[in-house]
Amino acid sequence: MEKTKCLIIGSGPAGYTAAIYASRANLSPILYEGIQPGGQLTTTSTIENFPGYPDGTTGDDLMADLRTQAERFGAEIRSGIVTKVDFSASPYIITIDDNDTIQADTVIISTGASAKYLGLEDEKKFAGRGVSACATCDGFFYRKKTVAVVGGGDTACEEATYLSSLAEKVFLIVRKDYLRASSIMQKRVLENPKIQVLFNHNVEGLYGERKVAGMHLIKNLGQPDESHYDVDTDGFFLAIGHKPNSDVFKPFLKTDAAGYIVTIDGTPRTEIPGVFAAGDVADPVYRQAITAAASGCKAAIEAERYLSNL
């Protein structure tokens, strides 16, 4: 069976940064890219808030740069998906694609989180061209424009409030006739003159040529007064939650109610010595490329210290 000092699972900013630091610490890490090489950022067209890119860059280019940097220092990057883990005893055993197994003295989990979508074909069609799951990432591009946010919880209200500081108009599309958000978040939204809440509404599609130009709405779905109409909008933001890609680890690692891996005292350490979690799979709060990269750095440093103390 193949063995490695450090196995990194996932290839977003956290995984690649962990690979850079682990390589420079002579851990000779092996990184498996997972189901989406480069992570969620590869679905983002333009990134302007990652330090070191004053003119902005694309998600693909940023991830390619991080990958190249990791390989430069000796990280071995492979295609493959982790389908099973055994963290019951060290060295830990990881199964790739239900076939190959590898033993690892340390494991850095950076599998990220997947944004939940409505399941519309148009969401795929306009991905990176008006459809986004991160207002903090992409809101800047909609200054003085009209945008829509889908969702009725705290995240949706927070995204709508943030976007209202940039956009001219914000539509908040809510399936039910009430908001699920906390009272303070509801108050901020309902009292904001730039936000119009559309209760009892569902989105059935988007329209536009090269980018989003508007949305097809259904009001009072399934009711006698059901109606269909269109609303023009420049941006369409999903805020119906994220699902951490943590299922394969749950037999061994503690997760919170939403599935995020629980780490110890703000570090990347998990309850299993030598197993670390970095990036969005352990971060329900910030979910930014820069914070993911920082946690990948910390995880690699923790892995090197763990090995040194063995």
Side-chain angles (χ1 to χ4, degrees):
M1 184 184 299
E2 185 178 14
K3 295 191 68 175
T4 182
K5 292 180 182 178
C6 179
L7 182 71
I8 301 170
I9 307 171
S11 58
Y16 284 146
T17 303
I20 291 169
Y21 276 79
S23 298
R24 285 171 53 83
N26 293 321
L27 301 188
S28 302
I30 296 173
L31 181 150
Y32 280 95
E33 293 182 303
I35 197 167
Q36 187 176 29
Q40 285 189 85
L41 276 190
T42 57
T43 65
T44 301
S45 56
T46 305
I47 298 169
E48 292 189 328
N49 57 359
F50 197 91
Y53 293 86
D55 297 319
T57 186
T58 67
D60 283 334
D61 286 347
L62 176 58
M63 290 300 97
D65 285 345
L66 290 178
R67 178 187 171 125
T68 299
Q69 192 171 359
E71 289 179 318
R72 174 192 167 202
F73 293 114
E76 183 176 345
I77 298 176
R78 302 176 179 177
S79 297
I81 298 170
V82 171
T83 51
K84 183 180 178 182
V85 299
D86 183 352
F87 292 158
S88 59
S90 178
Y92 306 115
I93 300 174
I94 295 87
T95 303
I96 312 298
D97 295 327
D98 291 317
N99 186 25
D100 299 325
T101 56
I102 184 170
Q103 282 187 338
D105 295 321
T106 61
V107 178
I108 296 174
I109 299 166
S110 54
T111 46
S114 301
K116 295 179 181 178
Y117 286 82
L118 297 174
L120 304 174
E121 192 62 34
D122 292 333
E123 290 173 317
K124 300 176 184 177
K125 176 182 176 182
F126 293 111
R129 294 184 292 142
V131 172
S132 172
C134 180
T136 310
C137 309
D138 299 326
F140 180 81
F141 303 110
Y142 298 95
R143 288 173 297 174
K144 307 297 183 184
K145 295 185 177 182
T146 299
V147 299
V149 177
V150 179
D154 277 340
T155 298
C157 289
E158 186 175 339
E159 301 266 271
T161 302
Y162 172 78
L163 288 166
S164 72
S165 68
L166 301 167
E168 187 70 31
K169 175 81 173 179
V170 180
F171 291 102
L172 182 59
I173 315 300
V174 184
R175 285 188 305 119
K176 302 183 182 294
D177 59 359
Y178 60 89
L179 292 169
R180 294 180 291 104
S182 59
S183 297
I184 184 64
M185 292 306 299
Q186 290 190 44
K187 180 178 173 66
R188 288 175 185 170
V189 164
L190 297 173
E191 293 181 356
N192 190 320
K194 283 190 174 183
I195 301 175
Q196 181 178 347
V197 184
L198 300 179
F199 290 108
N200 296 310
H201 277 70
N202 286 266
V203 181
E204 58 178 339
L206 304 170
Y207 58 87
E209 293 296 326
R210 289 175 295 177
K211 60 183 181 179
V212 170
M215 51 190 174
H216 304 299
L217 298 178
I218 308 174
K219 182 179 182 181
N220 297 326
L221 177 65
Q223 301 301 314
D225 59 345
E226 177 182 310
S227 61
H228 300 245
Y229 67 102
D230 294 343
V231 171
D232 292 340
T233 180
D234 302 295
F236 184 78
F237 289 85
L238 282 303
I240 53 177
H242 285 72
K243 183 185 184 302
N245 302 318
S246 62
D247 287 353
V248 70
F249 310 109
K250 286 183 177 179
F252 297 94
L253 295 179
K254 183 179 179 181
T255 59
D256 68 10
Y260 290 93
I261 294 175
V262 175
T263 56
I264 299 171
D265 297 334
T267 73
R269 297 194 301 270
T270 70
E271 59 194 329
I272 297 179
V275 177
F276 309 94
D280 288 11
V281 73
D283 177 13
V285 179
Y286 300 105
R287 298 198 301 267
Q288 298 297 301
I290 190 63
T291 52
S295 67
C297 159
K298 291 191 287 186
I301 291 173
E302 290 280 359
E304 192 276 331
R305 290 175 177 172
Y306 170 81
L307 291 170
S308 295
N309 290 331
L310 283 180

